[in-house]
Amino acid sequence: MKEKYKMASVNPRIQKLIDDLYSVTPEIEAERALLITQSFKETEAMPMIIRRAKALEKILNEMTIVIRDEELIVGNLTTKPRGTQIFPEYSNKWLISEFDTVAKRKGDVFLISDETKEDLVEAFKYWDCRTVNELAEQYMFPETREAIAAGVFTVGNYFFNGVGHIGVDYAKVMKVGFKGIIAEAEAEMANADTSLPDYIKKKHFLDAVIITANAAINYAHRFAALARDLSSREKDSRRQNELLEIAKICEQVPENPANSFYEALQSFWFVQAIIQIESNGHSISPMRFDQYMYPYYKQDVSKGNITDEKAQELLDCLWVKFNDINKIRDEGSTKAFGGYPMFQNLIVGGQTPDGLDATNELSFMSLVATEHTKLPQPSISFRVWNKTPEDLLLKACEISQLGLGMPAFYSDEVVIPSLVSRGVALRDARDYGIIGCVEPQKGGKTEGWHDAAFFNIAKVLEITLNNGMVDGQQMGPETGTFESFKTFDDLMAAYKKQMVHFVSLLINADNSVDLAHGERAPLPFLASMVDDCISKGKSLQEGGAHYNFTGPQGVGVANVGDSLAAIKELVYDKNAIT
């Protein structure tokens, strides 16, 4: 198998798509912001979940769609390559303050026209005091807001942006289509007990799922019509036939089950694109792509319906499309997350839910797609265990030699037991993927809320050494001055008290943000593809997923360890300094 997947030259089509993608500076577009604002003005008397559904419906029905030259996988988020839409419902005031600098900053530059600025300023007026960010801040304790301002922790990912860090059940859409999801929602509604107090909310949620599923179907049909129109005006017979095939595929999926590898890829992309249009969270991760895509590839190859060369070209086209997804962050965030990152993590290898080796041809071909395109997205990851074939391991190492920083390697022997210890069923744990940077979870079943906060544990040590003070203000409990700690154990006891205090404030912050998202920005489209949301009648933001976690991160572990070790040795053990 190794010989088959040796390095090959890049297909000219793929090189053109890459060149076109990076031929322009990313630009801010106002269309989505204007459409959601118009929709919310029209639906003010409706329940929030319905308003969100109708807003997505309006956006998908009216946004400008384009099919870029030589594309085989279609579905745009912006009219120009690598552009970004704006999501005023989450936060917006920071962007106004940076209008004049986004095109001049050192990293992640975005162009913005005067007309776009004017449109956004006008749209933002409606959202004053209506954003998720503003509601979350109102829910927080005053002490919590003070701790954030002092740099003890930040909940910036979800405080200012939409929900991300998730992988949905892509296989479900390919298997039953959105027609099947609509039927599931209708059946759940028909069987629901109307006398229960939560029936009304459940019905609204299910109605919202149906609205967004129909909107996704119509979005695809718009591309079918556009492809047919472009084909009628195309002079090149080769491209004319390609456009006709695109039209045929978009008429089939994602409304219906996918019947071919090409249809499965297109269905996948529509899901990926619409999730990003609904909410601007990053780390929307394909996860075990080689597993749920393989049946369609195997079927086509066995029937002689596709060659390996054509299948690889389609994969390469999809890999380029991943890089068309973009978002704007505030200038401060770009210093920590530079390079227009979207963290769409796609993992190959590993084992099946039954504990058998999961390697297949697409495991190799996905690595080859990264090899061909050499682009930052998707973020390729690789699952390793004691039955990983040597050929696949060597192929992953070949990709590592390219200097792309990919793939990332994950040990099943470590990850699977850790997930089981957190309450994940063994079969689900064996079926894990990676979300965003490094976070494992079972795709299509989990609301992991990863990167929920970054907690500065080194800052808490500094606060401990200053008796709970920050810049002359008493922010933590009075646990004693440094001079009062007679032993190292005294210092550690004080540090633990400060940690308990500030972690409790972090919890308040995360709960406030979580609650605000549930109230002001539930995501019915996203929820329709995550187990048990439809059966519970709840969005992810309201606790609908089968597994629910919240994942803040402790930052500065090594720094604190070094600092405490230095203090212990120099002050308490050797008495070298006071």
Side-chain angles (χ1 to χ4, degrees):
M1 192 176 285
K2 182 182 176 184
E3 293 298 317
K4 182 177 177 182
Y5 301 107
K6 280 194 170 180
M7 288 192 183
S9 58
V10 179
N11 180 313
R13 181 200 303 273
I14 304 306
Q15 191 59 57
K16 175 176 171 47
L17 289 173
I18 294 170
D19 292 342
D20 289 349
L21 189 65
Y22 285 91
S23 65
V24 297
T25 301
E27 189 166 337
I28 295 171
E29 299 183 10
E31 188 172 45
R32 184 198 176 278
L34 296 175
L35 289 171
I36 192 172
T37 303
Q38 291 169 16
S39 178
F40 262 64
K41 288 179 178 178
E42 295 164 359
T43 60
E44 289 192 339
M46 298 180 183
M48 183 56 72
I49 192 77
I50 298 295
R51 299 181 75 187
R52 291 290 303 181
K54 286 191 169 292
L56 181 61
E57 178 184 48
K58 185 177 184 68
I59 293 165
L60 295 180
N61 285 349
E62 299 182 26
M63 67 177 284
T64 304
I65 60 170
V66 296
I67 295 177
R68 309 199 199 284
D69 191 24
E70 291 298 321
E71 279 191 327
L72 296 179
I73 306 293
V74 301
N76 64 291
L77 290 77
T78 53
T79 58
K80 296 180 181 177
R82 296 171 65 226
T84 183
Q85 296 287 357
I86 300 300
F87 296 71
E89 68 269 34
Y90 295 107
S91 66
N92 54 66
K93 290 183 173 64
W94 65 268
L95 181 56
I96 295 177
S97 67
E98 295 189 17
F99 271 164
D100 296 330
T101 59
V102 290
K104 302 174 184 177
R105 60 194 191 184
K106 291 182 179 180
D108 292 9
V109 168
F110 284 90
L111 303 179
I112 182 169
S113 68
D114 290 339
E115 181 183 359
T116 297
K117 291 178 185 178
E118 292 172 5
D119 286 342
L120 289 175
V121 168
E122 187 59 34
F124 291 170
K125 291 177 182 177
Y126 174 81
W127 296 99
D128 191 35
C129 297
R130 289 184 168 100
T131 65
V132 172
N133 170 249
E134 289 163 314
L135 181 61
E137 188 169 20
Q138 290 304 308
Y139 278 138
M140 292 179 190
F141 303 149
E143 300 92 330
T144 301
R145 295 195 290 269
E146 290 173 359
I148 291 173
V152 180
F153 54 82
T154 175
V155 287
N157 265 343
Y158 302 110
F159 195 28
F160 295 105
N161 300 296
V163 171
H165 290 89
I166 193 167
V168 299
D169 192 349
Y170 298 96
K172 178 180 181 179
V173 180
M174 295 170 205
K175 185 177 180 180
V176 304
F178 279 110
K179 262 189 178 177
I181 289 175
I182 290 170
E184 181 185 358
E186 289 175 338
E188 188 66 39
M189 201 182 308
N191 294 325
D193 186 343
T194 60
S195 66
L196 293 177
D198 64 349
Y199 169 76
I200 296 172
K201 287 197 72 173
K202 184 172 187 176
K203 181 181 185 304
H204 288 154
F205 170 76
L206 295 172
D207 284 339
V209 165
I210 293 168
I211 290 168
T212 57
N214 277 315
I217 292 169
N218 188 58
Y219 177 70
H221 288 176
R222 292 181 67 205
F223 278 96
L226 177 59
R228 290 196 183 281
D229 179 59
L230 291 174
S231 176
S232 69
R233 295 183 278 116
E234 178 60 57
K235 296 179 181 179
D236 183 345
S237 60
R238 173 194 60 84
R239 184 59 178 164
Q240 186 180 65
N241 289 331
E242 288 176 351
L243 289 164
L244 287 173
E245 186 173 16
I246 288 170
K248 185 177 178 181
I249 288 170
C250 292
E251 287 165 352
Q252 170 68 17
V253 295
E255 178 177 7
N256 302 295
N259 293 318
S260 69
F261 183 59
Y262 195 171
E263 287 184 359
L265 290 172
Q266 182 60 69
S267 182
F268 164 85
W269 180 251
F270 277 135
V271 170
Q272 189 75 358
I274 297 172
I275 289 173
Q276 296 283 178
I277 293 169
E278 184 181 36
S279 169
N280 73 332
H282 59 255
S283 302
I284 309 302
S285 296
M287 306 190 81
R288 304 203 75 186
F289 184 87
D290 62 339
Q291 300 304 298
Y292 55 78
M293 281 292 177
Y294 184 63
Y296 303 95
Y297 167 83
K298 183 179 180 181
Q299 168 191 280
D300 277 6
V301 169
S302 65
K303 292 181 178 179
N305 293 337
I306 197 169
T307 63
D308 284 338
E309 291 75 17
K310 182 62 177 178
Q312 188 66 60
E313 181 183 46
L314 289 170
L315 274 181
D316 293 356
C317 285
L318 177 63
W319 257 234
V320 177
K321 288 295 287 184
F322 278 117
N323 293 272
D324 206 8
I325 294 178
N326 209 349
K327 70 180 287 185
I328 184 169
R329 297 171 173 84
D330 64 275
E331 187 170 7
S333 296
T334 65
K335 295 174 182 177
F337 302 101
Y340 305 100
M342 291 304 295
F343 307 104
Q344 300 168 88
N345 206 304
L346 186 152
I347 199 163
V348 299
Q351 54 193 283
T352 67
D354 295 321
L356 303 175
D357 184 62
T359 304
N360 61 49
E361 287 93 330
L362 284 183
S363 309
F364 287 87
M365 293 172 71
S366 295
L367 292 171
V368 170
T370 295
E371 180 181 62
H372 284 172
T373 58
K374 296 181 176 64
L375 294 172
Q377 296 295 305
S379 300
I380 288 288
S381 294
F382 181 63
R383 283 180 53 175
V384 183
W385 70 310
N386 57 22
K387 291 184 174 60
T388 296
E390 184 178 357
D391 284 356
L392 184 62
L393 184 58
L394 289 174
K395 187 63 193 178
C397 292
E398 282 182 10
I399 306 305
S400 294
Q401 286 182 314
L402 297 176
L404 303 172
M406 297 185 283
F409 292 77
Y410 294 87
S411 170
D412 279 9
E413 276 88 355
V414 174
V415 174
I416 292 172
S418 72
L419 287 172
V420 171
S421 73
R422 291 285 293 166
V424 177
L426 178 58
R427 285 182 60 84
D428 287 343
R430 286 174 176 159
D431 202 26
Y432 80 87
I434 297 295
I435 292 293
C437 299
V438 297
E439 304 93 332
Q441 70 176 44
K442 163 61 179 172
K445 213 168 184 177
T446 309
E447 167 67 314
W449 227 50
H450 305 290
D451 274 4
F454 295 97
F455 186 91
N456 188 348
I457 63 174
K459 184 70 175 180
V460 178
L461 177 58
E462 177 189 303
I463 293 171
T464 304
L465 299 178
N466 288 279
N467 196 17
M469 302 280 285
V470 178
D471 295 330
Q473 177 184 353
Q474 193 69 45
M475 193 164 291
E478 294 184 19
T479 51
T481 62
F482 192 15
E483 294 84 355
S484 70
F485 304 140
K486 301 304 180 184
T487 67
F488 182 72
D489 288 342
D490 291 342
L491 169 61
M492 286 303 297
Y495 181 54
K496 290 176 182 178
K497 287 180 181 178
Q498 297 290 350
M499 283 291 288
V500 167
H501 173 77
F502 286 107
V503 167
S504 70
L505 296 182
L506 168 68
I507 292 169
N508 170 247
D510 271 344
N511 287 342
S512 297
V513 174
D514 206 2
L515 190 61
H517 275 279
E519 286 189 30
R520 287 192 172 172
L523 306 172
F525 179 76
L526 181 70
S528 71
M529 296 169 285
V530 176
D531 292 358
D532 303 334
C533 290
I534 288 179
S535 61
K536 290 180 181 178
K538 292 181 177 181
S539 70
L540 289 156
Q541 293 67 52
E542 298 166 304
H546 186 85
Y547 299 115
N548 287 278
F549 304 109
T550 299
Q553 302 187 57
V555 179
V557 175
N559 291 342
V560 171
D562 289 346
S563 300
L564 289 171
I567 292 171
K568 183 177 185 299
E569 179 173 353
L570 296 174
V571 177
Y572 295 104
D573 292 348
K574 294 182 176 179
N575 296 313
I577 58 176
T578 64

